[in-house]
Amino acid sequence: MNAILLMLLGLGGMLLGYLFYSKFVAEKIYKLDPNFRTPAHEFEDGVDFVPTNKYVLWGHHFTSVAGAAPIIGPAIAVIWGWVPAFLWVIFGTIFFAGVHDAGAIWASNRNRARSIGALTGDVVGKRSQSLFMIVIFLVLLMVNAVFATAISGLLINFPSSVIPVWGAIFVALIIGQVIFRKWMNLGTVSILGVIALYALIFAGPSAPLSLPETVMGVSDNATWILILFFYAAIASLLPVWMLLQPRDYINGLQLFIGLFLLYGAVLLSGPELVAPAFNTNTPEGTPSIVPLLFVTIACGAISGFHGLVASGTTSKQLDKETDARFVGYFGAIGEGSLSLATIIAVTAGFATLADWQAVYHSFGQGGVTAFVSGGARILQEGLSLDIELSETLLTVMAVLFAGTTMDTGLRLQRYIFQEWGAIYNLRWMQKAAPATLLSVGSCLILAFGAGGADGSGGLAIWPLFGTTNQLLAGLTLLVITVMLVKLKRPMYVTLIPLVFLLVMTIFALLIQLKGFYDTADWFLFSLDLLVLVAAIWIALEATAALNRARNSVNE
């Protein structure tokens, strides 16, 4: 099959979903009100609560949730064939992710921009809130520790990306000042920012930078991880308008240009999908497609991490409630388009089936490297771009998104510690600096405690990210569903995804539990058991909360 047809079907389906289904959900289910006074205006402080242009806010939300996960998940899941991965990305984006993301913004916006974790106590119950906070912390710990490892690996493997990646931070700082102080209109600053960013990308291959293999006895991988967390700690403490918003916005534009180039190269070169539509000859040890497909591809179909961003930072910057449709639902469409591009890159970016099978020789292979190499080949054939430049462009795209996710993730982790400080009346923990130190410290303990001197310990618990992340999405949908029941509105648009996710998550946890037992991996076995108990607990709490809500409405 030609990749052009797959691209047109995927993009066309998601566009129809935004034009029609998102409008129905926004107007008939969430009933977004343009006259509702948002928390960004009510609590405006110039640091976290800042009314923001919807296009800039979309850039923040989209790039914060995109990260590397919508590349990693689909690039691994195609081992079962490109058809299952394609269908889950498209239908998951339209009926799951968009509803989830926009709903999380709406729910938080209607409750003083409180996080989904904090909302759970009021909407569902205090027991669920305690459980939710633990699950949230685990997800953020995984995301921050693993993305730091992923970024460091890409910076080492592709030294031509170092200058563009770090130069983008200075571009964002300048853009933040220009937008905040209104020195230029948004269109002008956007054009100049993109030009500066791509100038850095073109400069990267001519000036590659690498760290020494050891710095004061510390490996280059560990050094990059320490540098990344030092940067993320500072970024998480700065006002959102200074770095977070402009960095995310300009990265959002950069991604769409990158996708435009990649999709344009597909149109011009018309590559064939060499990977099987349904892989009936999967390598030994590959788990069952059901339910593992639905937790392997999380970001790009539906992801609980999105709910943390939507209710943690995005809702604090919402100018008008009606912007939630564009920011949340269209943000999910953007991530779906990235996952679609990944599927095309890792199935049509190889010359032959044998080349593809050489990479996908066991489950877990592929990932960002397959996306970069496959996508670069398509760019070279379709646009006649130099292969090193193509690799740099795609690597920078992946690193910048992983970096913006780390920025937001560490800020959200700081919020969790501050909320714990409020719950347990620990005033020192409610302050930003101590909470940030605790956030960084916990990530570094995982990175170097489980990974040793190399600092890659986040990868130790990464196998549980998909299930834990989908469990978190189920919790977010539970909060939204209970709110809809109390408001006497149709709940099926969130209840169906909620039930589906809980069933698939529990099923996947049971399969993984057996796998960890068979390999005597008692660390992951214990964590899996903990998450499994949490999933069953959530299913019971969901049933009880929905019954209470329905009974209170009927009284």
Side-chain angles (χ1 to χ4, degrees), residues 417-430:
F417 276 109
Q418 288 179 302
E419 287 182 3
W420 274 335
I423 292 171
Y424 298 108
N425 198 27
L426 300 173
R427 292 186 178 180
W428 64 272
M429 194 184 290
Q430 297 176 45

Side-chain angles (χ1 to χ4, degrees), residues 78-138:
V78 294
I79 198 167
W80 290 298
W82 59 261
V83 168
F86 171 78
L87 292 177
W88 174 228
V89 164
I90 302 306
F91 287 103
T93 296
I94 296 170
F95 297 107
F96 285 61
V99 172
H100 171 276
D101 290 19
I105 297 174
W106 165 74
S108 178
N109 183 66
R110 286 284 171 159
N111 290 275
R112 300 163 61 90
R114 296 169 67 197
S115 71
I116 287 293
L119 275 180
T120 307
D122 295 336
V123 177
V124 182
K126 292 298 181 183
R127 289 178 305 183
S128 297
Q129 181 183 22
S130 301
L131 181 64
F132 207 154
M133 298 288 275
I134 294 172
V135 174
I136 290 172
F137 181 77
L138 280 175

Side-chain angles (χ1 to χ4, degrees), residues 436-459:
T436 299
L437 288 175
L438 288 172
S439 302
V440 173
S442 60
C443 291
L444 291 178
I445 288 173
L446 173 61
F448 290 93
D454 192 45
S456 57
L459 296 175

Side-chain angles (χ1 to χ4, degrees), residues 403-417:
T404 53
T405 300
M406 268 193 72
D407 291 359
T408 303
L410 201 65
R411 186 180 289 258
L412 291 172
Q413 204 167 358
R414 185 244 293 177
Y415 290 164
I416 293 296
F417 276 109

Side-chain angles (χ1 to χ4, degrees), residues 148-396:
T149 303
I151 294 170
S152 65
L154 288 169
L155 292 175
I156 292 170
N157 293 330
F158 300 96
S160 61
S161 67
V162 173
I163 285 180
V165 166
W166 292 101
I169 296 172
F170 294 99
V171 172
L173 286 168
I174 296 171
I175 290 175
Q177 294 293 329
V178 172
I179 293 177
F180 185 75
R181 303 186 189 285
K182 299 179 180 179
W183 291 338
M184 296 181 188
N185 62 55
L186 185 60
T188 302
V189 74
S190 299
I191 293 171
L192 293 176
V194 168
I195 291 173
L197 195 59
Y198 274 88
L200 290 168
I201 291 174
F202 276 94
S206 59
L209 292 178
S210 299
L211 290 177
E213 289 188 8
T214 58
V215 179
M216 294 187 295
V218 179
S219 70
D220 53 354
N221 187 70
T223 302
W224 274 127
I225 290 174
L226 291 171
I227 291 171
L228 286 164
F229 274 112
F230 178 75
Y231 155 75
I234 296 174
S236 70
L237 291 169
L238 293 175
V240 292
W241 62 265
M242 188 174 291
L243 179 59
L244 190 66
Q245 280 183 357
R247 177 167 156 80
D248 290 353
Y249 175 66
I250 201 65
N251 285 348
L253 294 178
Q254 185 260 350
L255 172 65
F256 264 87
I257 293 173
L259 288 177
F260 177 79
L261 292 174
L262 187 55
Y263 283 133
V266 170
L267 282 173
L268 292 173
S269 63
E272 293 291 325
L273 303 173
V274 299
F278 296 93
N279 192 3
T280 57
N281 189 30
T282 55
E284 184 179 355
T286 301
S288 170
I289 185 173
V290 177
L292 267 297
L293 170 69
F294 304 104
V295 296
T296 301
I297 300 179
C299 298
I302 182 171
S303 166
F305 180 72
H306 294 200
L308 302 184
V309 176
S311 64
T313 57
T314 303
S315 63
K316 294 178 176 63
Q317 303 169 61
L318 198 67
D319 184 32
K320 295 180 180 179
E321 188 174 70
T322 48
D323 291 347
R325 179 193 174 201
F326 179 79
V327 174
Y329 199 103
F330 194 66
I333 294 293
E335 187 173 64
S337 67
L338 174 57
S339 290
L340 175 61
T342 299
I343 292 171
I344 292 173
V346 300
T347 56
F350 293 87
T352 65
L353 175 60
D355 291 337
W356 183 85
Q357 290 173 331
V359 171
Y360 288 89
H361 56 81
S362 63
F363 182 72
Q365 299 301 310
V368 177
T369 303
F371 167 74
V372 171
S373 59
R377 183 172 177 271
I378 292 174
L379 287 172
Q380 183 187 35
E381 291 184 356
L383 302 178
S384 300
L385 292 181
D386 177 76
I387 190 67
E388 186 178 12
L389 177 60
S390 299
E391 290 178 342
T392 300
L393 189 152
L394 294 176
T395 301
V396 169

